[in-house]
Structure formats: structure tokens, C-alpha cells
Amino acid sequence: MSILFDKNNKTYTIHTRHTTYQMQLAPTGHLLHLYYGRRAEGTFDYLIRSRDCGFSPNPYELRYQREWSLDTQMQEYSGSMNGDYRLSAVRCAAENGVRGVDLRYVRHEISAGKYALRGLPAAFARDGEAETLTVTLADETIGLQVELLYGVYEAQDVITRAVRMKNIGNGALRLDKAASLCLDLPFGDWELLHFHGRHCMERQPERVPLTTGIQTVGSKRGMSSHQHNPFVILCDRAATEDTGECYGVMPVYSGSHKTEAERDQMGAVRLVSGIQDEDFSWTLDPGETFDAPEVLMSFSHEGLTKLSQTYHRFIRDNLCRSKFSNASRPVLLNSWEACYFDFDADKLLALAREAKDLGVDMLVLDDGWFGARNDDLRGLGDWNVNENKLPGGLAPLIRKINDLGLKFGIWIEPEMVNEDSDLYRAHPDWALTVPGRAPAMGRDQLVLDMGRNDVVDYLCGVLSALLRDNPIEYVKWDFNRGLADVYSRVLPPERQGEAAHRYVLGMYDLLERLTTAFPDVLFEGCAGGGGRFDAGMLAYVPQIWCSDNTDAVERLAIQCGTSFGYPVSSMGAHVSASPNHQTGRSTPLETRAVVAMSGTFGYELNPAQMSAEEKGAIRDQLARFRKHDALIRGGDYYRLTDPRDAKRIAAWQFVAPDRSEALLNVVVTHPEANPRPLHLRLKGLDPDAMYAANGMDRVYSGAALMYGGWTLEALFGDYPSAQMHFQKV
Ligand code: GLA
């Protein structure tokens, strides 16, 4: 049993392999948080040192115990306006205008298996893999019940959390905030490691000390966003890749989100994470429930690498439902950077022949194949083939491509519509716009109201037909602007605050229906690159286009930042042309391949423009990728350097779970004259085993490679790279 309840001291203890999580019911019925950290036995209530803290109120029944205040106690899920002035996890207004939430114990239940959420993605468990703890709290005065859900994956060292709210009163309630997680840490010197960015430069790590007050990261864009990924880490000031304590908080959510970290008057830290509360409200009529999205929590006392590896495994094994999650993926050639909107059937077939000649598995037809889509000003929403470009439709093209021995994949952007489209002309009310106000445009397109059932049903019909009628084996699902003018024509005025979250639920519904109906189709997420790279999407799709920036050197930082939370098997990465289309930088073909191989691997260029020598190199790259595919996809990932460190090298490594082999990858980001030796220490090897390097005769012990390290040959030129394979002998 990984979940225990001790009746005597009313304490809940959750153990995973390396961590312990503990809560206790206070005499008042409030649920206190006692501990989350390295695995330990015993009860941690001795750590609660209550003392009279001026201006921190006391619950009525403890009014003579001035040292007992909700304002200074660690709480499991904070209410509001009840004397705790720190971050609220839930805010709510009753019909009579009463605001404030004070949650007290009602009951609890421990059950086998993992809870599920309604309409939201969540981690799953195989038989015996997880247990669920449900602690039910309520504010009887306003009629709000809150179920705190804990999914415990003992072997994986992951605890999932979610919250189910229910109106148990007689009048309507309005939720103004419904966070998924509140985590109180009483002591420690914590830093917030978060992943910010912009279009073409996603998930850049930034590590900042928590100062007194509140620090916030979040998105109001209706998408998890390029600007702030929802995944954050709270780590000890001294934590490194290999040492120190760190907590991961990974929302399984793709819409607007918010994570706040508050350091209070006592130096304690509270982290609250969930749906963005700005412009959010949700009306709960009597008897109705609301599920707040899941969050995946993990803790490592052995540094950041360990924490990342836990998330990588968990996403692959317990979150992503696609059959491709742990499977080899086709190497694809994508048409976008090869020809953008400028193509016809002949050009695509020529591209396909080139792709086949190189040994690529699949041709992906990107944007531009439908409606009047000759540029990005028109056609979105019209998912019928543009027969001027592709006479006879997709079928004859796909047949010819299949006849070459290639699979075929396609791009769609279902959630969007151009004003200049038949869909918009027929259903202008399907777009999110404010009546009477000219809408904010983004890439000249509007966003469909995915909160509407008729919109989701329509899209499901059109896309199901597309996938049913054509042998399409891959879909790139794009999303190229943020939400604005979030007004839904099917919601009454008092429910408009629900529109953004209903959008996400509708989008998940569509994904759920399509991925269930077409389990053999490989879906790749995308949002102007990595603008919706999150665990919510990864529950449905095994891979997401990491960034529209395909520059190999910039990708080092983007993919490294992404790796803190997400597995390499989820990172869409391609070799593109040089000079690069986004930066103008020239990089060697080999370096581009080394970087793209640490992802799903594919090409996004026109091979016809390459020399015979380059084509030969690509054939070698494909062979090498296929050889190392399983190691890269399923191996343990180690960041050896920080690629943003301009004067050094970028280096990372994969180690097979049984430590039988490892792949070391290095890119020189700053070449030097008369260079100092490039020396690295490998990680994760079996110290007692002997390894051969790149198939050569001499062998080295794992201990030697890890403690003594490895010196690389001098690398010369612009952004040179090296890949070394170490095999146990
Ligand atoms: C987005 C994607 C690109 C490409 C274009 C097509 O920007 O990220 O990869 O598909 O759309 O319009």
C-alpha cells in the first residue's frame, strides 16, 4: 500500500519509491500539509511550530489559541477570505453575494487504480500500477464541496493531483479560481526554474530565487504558449543537474494557465498552479461538478537530471495513449520549408521520389493543399482539396506516393478559420468574436469556438472523412494564433467566463474522438512550432513540433530547455536547408542531423537542391538514426552542458536503461583557434562494465569514462559536431 491513513493522529502518508508525501487533519477539520520530499518514515507534525503571529487571525473555535492561524499553517488546498492571506487555491461567490471559501474535512477514500477526469486528459495506470486517495472537504455555508484527488504511482515516483468541485447547496455558485494544486513548503531556500520564450525560441530555462512576495508565470493566450510553458521546477538554491532537491509541477493542460509562487512573512513558500484565473469564472448550479485539470508532481533529491528522467518515462509510459508513444516513428520529409505554398502534384511527386531515393519513410504535405489556400490570407476552414494544385484530389497523389514505397502524411489546422473562406461565410458566428467589435486578427485568421458542440461535431465529421477516405498515416495538427475576443455566442452572459476553458475541453473532445477512431494514424501537435507543447497535448499525441526555428544551433537551446520536462521522443525535429530560413546561419549538414536526431528526426528541405555528396551523407544519417533510434527514444537523457553557454560546447547523452550502450552528442557552439581540449565526463554508465567507443578495439571502464572523462578530437570549422557510441563489451 502506498497510501496510508493513521486514525490515531489523522495523518495521510503517501510513499513512492523515493518520496514521501504527508497531510494531517487539524482539530478544526482543515487539511494541513506536513511534508513532501525524500522518502522518510514517521509523522512530520513535530515540524509545525505554531506561534502567536500578530495580525494572523485564528479560526473561531481556536480563538483563544492565538498561535494557531491558517495564515501560518501549511495547508493542502487553501481557501480564501478565511484568515489565510496567502495565495488562494479556490475563490468562489455564492448566489447571495457571499465570497470566501473555508474547507473542512468530510470523508476520505483510498482505492485501487487511478481516478479519471471528465473531458480532461489525465495519466492512466495499468493493473496494480496506481492507487487513488480522495479527500473530500467542504464549505457547508456556501455549499461547495471539493474532492482532492491523488493518483499515486509508487514505482514511477509520481503523484498526480486534481480537484473536483461540486455544488452541494441550493443556489448557484460562481467559481472565480479553481487551482489544481497548492503546495506549501515551510523551510528552504527555493528557486523557481521556469521555461519562458517566444515564437521561434521556446522553453528557455530561467532560474530565479524566490523573493518575498509573489512570482507568477502563466499564459492568457488560450494556449499553453511559446511565452511561458506550464511546467515549472522549484529547486534548492544549491541544486545542480546531479545533486540537490527539486520539485516538478507539470500541468496536464493546454489552455491559459497560471503558476504562482509566494514566499510569505515566515519565509515559507506556497506554490499554486492551475487554470489561469484572469477572465475565468465557472457557474456551478446545484448538483453540478467541475474538474480542475491534473498536475503531475515529482520530487528528486538527486538533482534536475533525475527529475527530468522521471517525467520522460512517465509521459511515455503513463500519459501518452498513442500506440506510437514507445514505438519507432517514420522518418519524414515535410514539404513546408521545401516549397511553402508553392507546389502542385508534380512538384510533390518529385519531392517524394527524392525522399524515397534518400531512404526517407514518409512524405508530409504541409499547409496549402485545401480550399483557396495559396497564401496564409485565405482558405483555412475549407478542408476540401484544392484541385487546381492536386487534380483529382488527394487519392491519386497518395496512390502514387504509396507506389513509390512512401507513407503519406498531411497538415491540418482544424481550430481556425480565415475570414476569406467558405466556412466563415457560412458560419460567421462559429468564430470567437465580440458582437459589434472588429476582432483582433492573428496571421489573418480567427479562432473557431471549440466550446460549441456543433463546431466540434462538424470538424469531427470533416476530418474523419478525410482520414477515412484517404490512406493518411500521419497528421500534423497546427494552431497558429492565440485566442482574443473570447466571447461565445452559445453561452449566456453569466457564463462567458467559461468560454476559454470550454474551448480547451472542446479541443480535447475533438482530439479524443479522432485519435480514438484512428489509432493507427501518427498525430503530431504543433502551434506555430512549440506554442502548445504541454502534457495535455502529449496525452493524445506522442510528438509535437518543437519550434518553427529549425536552426541547429538555436535548436540546441530549445531542445535542451524542452528536455527538462518532456522526453526526446516527443520533440519534433528536422534537418532543414543551410543557410537556415529563420536565422540565415550556415551549419554543417552533419551538425543539423546530430541535433535533429535528438528528436523525432526528419527532413524539411528540397533534396533536389543538394549535391550527390550531401545526399550520400543523408543516407548515412538515416542508417545511423535507425541504428540508435531505440536508444534515443527510450534511453535516459543527460544534459552534460548548458548550450546557452556561448564559449563552450553543447553536449548531451543517451544511456540505454540497461546501461549496455550510450550515445554522446557534441556540438561546438564557439570554435576557437589553438583550442583547449574538449573534455567531458560521461554519465549514467555502469562503472564496472567495459565499453568500446565507436566500435574501436580499445575498451574503457564505465568508471573511467564517468570519472576520468573523455577527450574529443579537436573539432574545426563552423559549428562542428561529433557523435560517439559507447557499447558494453
Ligand atoms: C506553422 C507551423 C509550420 C508550418 C506552418 C504552415 O507555422 O509551425 O511548421 O506548418 O504553420 O502554415
Side-chain angles (χ1 to χ4, degrees):
M1 286 287 273
S2 48
I3 306 170
L4 305 161
F5 178 65
D6 184 337
K7 278 200 250 19
N8 298 323
N9 54 17
K10 298 206 165 91
T11 302
Y12 302 92
T13 303
I14 297 172
H15 286 305
T16 70
R17 196 138 62 113
H18 299 104
T19 73
T20 296
Y21 191 98
Q22 206 170 63
M23 303 171 262
Q24 191 174 64
L25 288 170
T28 54
H30 292 102
L31 183 60
L32 304 181
H33 178 78
L34 292 186
Y35 175 75
Y36 183 31
R38 192 169 176 172
R39 184 168 175 138
E41 301 301 326
T43 308
F44 286 86
D45 51 1
Y46 71 93
L47 285 176
I48 303 175
R49 293 262 165 80
S50 301
R51 67 182 178 92
D52 185 358
C53 178
F55 291 86
S56 287
N58 321 107
Y60 193 79
E61 56 271 57
L62 298 180
R63 59 196 176 281
Y64 303 119
Q65 288 184 39
R66 295 210 180 159
E67 72 285 357
W68 207 101
S69 172
L70 287 177
D71 200 25
T72 52
Q73 293 284 355
M74 302 225 291
Q75 295 194 62
E76 191 54 26
Y77 192 74
S78 56
S80 55
M81 275 221 252
N82 62 348
D84 178 352
Y85 297 100
R86 294 168 295 170
L87 290 167
S88 305
V90 54
R91 287 189 286 116
C92 184
E95 218 169 38
N96 62 2
V98 169
R99 284 155 178 272
V101 180
D102 187 40
L103 296 168
R104 313 273 179 128
Y105 175 77
V106 179
R107 62 180 167 273
H108 71 259
E109 194 192 346
I110 296 169
S111 52
K114 165 74 185 355
Y115 65 84
L117 298 175
R118 294 189 196 109
L120 283 164
F124 61 86
R126 293 164 200 85
D127 275 355
E129 231 177 5
E131 278 187 282
T132 293
L133 167 66
T134 309
V135 185
T136 306
L137 311 173
D139 181 329
E140 303 281 352
T141 310
I142 61 164
L144 177 69
Q145 175 187 290
V146 169
E147 284 179 5
L148 302 180
L149 302 164
Y150 300 81
V152 182
Y153 291 79
E154 185 175 2
Q156 291 87 336
D157 272 326
V158 170
I159 300 174
T160 71
R161 285 178 65 173
V163 180
R164 176 165 296 152
M165 314 263 176
K166 184 172 185 187
N167 183 340
I168 53 166
N170 301 317
L173 292 175
R174 193 191 67 227
L175 293 172
D176 291 319
K177 182 176 186 181
S180 302
L181 163 145
C182 168
L183 180 65
D184 276 4
L185 301 172
F187 311 109
D189 225 352
W190 301 108
E191 297 193 330
L192 182 68
L193 174 53
H194 64 102
F195 303 90
H196 69 101
R198 57 185 191 275
H199 177 229
C200 282
M201 206 62 205
E202 295 88 340
R203 292 172 295 287
Q204 298 304 295
E206 184 172 75
R207 190 166 159 175
V208 287
L210 288 185
T211 52
T212 306
I214 298 173
Q215 266 148 290
T216 305
V217 290
S219 157
K220 299 195 285 182
R221 296 166 188 268
M223 59 201 286
S224 45
S225 86
H226 304 86
Q227 287 75 10
H228 289 289
N229 196 265
F231 177 56
V232 301
I233 297 171
L234 216 50
C235 58
D236 187 274
R237 188 160 293 185
T240 66
E241 286 287 1
D242 309 302
T243 61
E245 302 198 324
C246 33
Y247 298 88
V249 170
M250 179 175 285
V252 185
Y253 192 59
S254 312
S256 298
H257 57 91
K258 179 156 131 183
T259 295
E260 301 158 281
E262 175 171 12
R263 191 154 156 257
D264 73 6
Q265 56 178 337
M266 294 296 164
V269 165
R270 169 171 295 170
L271 193 94
V272 171
S273 171
I275 295 179
Q276 169 67 258
D277 58 338
E278 193 172 323
D279 297 323
F280 166 85
S281 67
W282 195 277
T283 300
L284 277 181
D285 284 329
E288 281 185 351
T289 59
F290 175 84
D291 284 0
E294 176 159 288
V295 175
L296 313 176
M297 279 189 324
S298 191
F299 169 82
S300 153
H301 67 273
E302 292 167 292
L304 295 160
T305 297
K306 195 40 140 248
L307 188 76
S308 298
Q309 291 174 354
T310 299
Y311 279 106
H312 296 173
R313 265 193 298 276
F314 194 76
I315 289 172
R316 291 195 307 251
D317 297 343
N318 291 95
L319 181 69
C320 182
R321 293 179 254 154
S322 163
K323 72 172 204 184
F324 295 97
S325 182
N326 275 307
S328 182
R329 323 272 168 84
V331 174
L332 58 87
L333 187 135
N334 179 297
S335 69
W336 183 242
E337 288 195 21
C339 39
Y340 296 101
F341 290 108
D342 179 19
F343 61 81
D344 56 20
D346 289 343
K347 204 160 169 181
L348 292 175
L349 280 171
L351 204 57
R353 269 182 227 106
E354 293 278 1
K356 180 64 197 170
D357 179 50
L358 294 176
V360 162
D361 302 311
M362 176 187 277
L363 183 84
V364 173
L365 174 51
D366 209 279
D367 197 354
W369 59 269
F370 50 88
R373 187 80 170 165
N374 296 319
D375 50 38
D376 61 12
L377 298 174
R378 67 204 95 239
L380 268 185
D382 298 339
W383 301 108
N384 46 302
V385 182
N386 180 332
E387 298 224 11
N388 294 330
K389 289 183 187 171
L390 308 175
L394 285 172
L397 174 73
I398 302 180
R399 197 177 327 110
K400 286 179 197 145
I401 288 174
N402 288 165
D403 285 348
L404 289 171
L406 279 183
K407 298 174 194 290
F408 178 80
I410 205 159
W411 178 97
I412 55 172
E413 194 181 356
E415 301 155 69
M416 301 286 167
V417 66
N418 279 124
E419 263 188 318
D420 187 357
S421 68
D422 293 340
L423 184 69
Y424 185 74
R425 281 183 282 274
H427 298 286
D429 57 320
W430 280 10
L432 289 170
T433 57
V434 170
R437 183 192 295 162
M441 303 299 289
R443 208 189 184 198
D444 221 68
Q445 63 199 51
L446 293 167
V447 188
L448 293 172
D449 181 0
M450 298 294 288
R452 291 176 65 136
N453 293 334
D454 51 357
V455 171
V456 173
D457 287 344
Y458 169 79
L459 290 171
C460 190
V462 172
L463 298 175
S464 298
L466 177 72
L467 297 179
R468 209 178 32 238
D469 299 345
N470 299 288
I472 292 171
E473 296 182 69
Y474 160 105
V475 167
K476 177 174 171 189
W477 182 304
D478 213 338
F479 173 93
N480 278 317
R481 63 159 290 182
L483 274 57
D485 303 293
V486 184
Y487 178 86
S488 171
R489 284 175 168 74
V490 294
L491 292 175
E494 70 278 10
R495 285 190 177 266
Q496 287 298 331
E498 301 175 15
H501 181 57
R502 285 188 184 275
Y503 178 96
V504 181
L505 294 178
M507 185 268 292
Y508 285 149
D509 182 28
L510 182 60
L511 263 173
E512 171 83 39
R513 291 202 232 168
L514 290 171
T515 53
T516 309
F518 300 97
D520 297 332
V521 174
L522 168 60
F523 284 83
E524 174 156 353
C526 179
R532 210 162 55 178
F533 203 118
D534 56 68
M537 295 308 287
L538 288 173
Y540 301 99
V541 305
Q543 60 192 62
I544 300 175
W545 184 228
C546 214
S547 179
D548 274 348
N549 186 345
T550 59
D551 178 297
V553 177
E554 300 254 280
R555 273 291 186 123
L556 291 170
I558 296 169
Q559 293 174 199
C560 176
T562 306
S563 80
F564 279 85
Y566 307 99
V568 157
S569 62
S570 71
M571 297 184 206
H574 300 163
V575 173
S576 61
S578 181
N580 178 266
H581 291 192
Q582 291 81 40
T583 60
R585 180 183 354 232
S586 298
T587 49
L589 182 57
E590 170 63 10
T591 297
R592 283 175 270 151
V594 166
V595 175
M597 266 185 219
S598 289
T600 56
F601 200 51
Y603 290 81
E604 186 143 347
L605 43 72
N606 187 353
Q609 291 164 0
M610 309 192 84
S611 67
E613 193 190 336
E614 284 175 316
K615 289 184 188 179
I618 289 181
R619 287 185 198 100
D620 291 347
Q621 291 168 359
L622 280 161
R624 195 167 2 128
F625 173 69
R626 290 189 175 115
K627 183 170 160 218
H628 300 315
D629 180 22
L631 169 60
I632 292 170
R633 243 183 321 104
D636 290 333
Y637 180 86
Y638 290 87
R639 292 174 291 267
L640 300 184
T641 69
D642 179 349
R644 294 170 304 165
D645 222 338
K647 278 248 159 191
R648 294 185 50 212
I649 53 174
W652 66 101
Q653 189 198 333
F654 301 95
V655 181
D658 65 0
R659 299 192 285 182
S660 59
E661 53 170 343
L663 188 70
L664 171 67
N665 304 273
V666 178
V667 175
V668 177
T669 50
H670 192 98
E672 289 172 346
N674 188 15
R676 293 177 181 167
L678 293 174
H679 185 263
L680 290 159
R681 291 178 180 197
L682 275 73
K683 292 186 179 177
L685 303 178
D686 176 353
D688 301 324
M690 300 303 287
Y691 292 85
N694 274 3
M696 289 177 290
D697 290 340
R698 175 148 183 202
V699 292
Y700 311 82
S701 73
L705 293 168
M706 292 193 291
Y707 315 141
W710 180 263
T711 306
L712 289 142
E713 298 295 321
L715 292 165
F716 189 74
D718 271 345
Y719 311 107
S721 58
Q723 222 169 24
M724 297 291 299
H725 183 238
F726 296 87
Q727 179 86 49
K728 216 185 219 185
V729 292

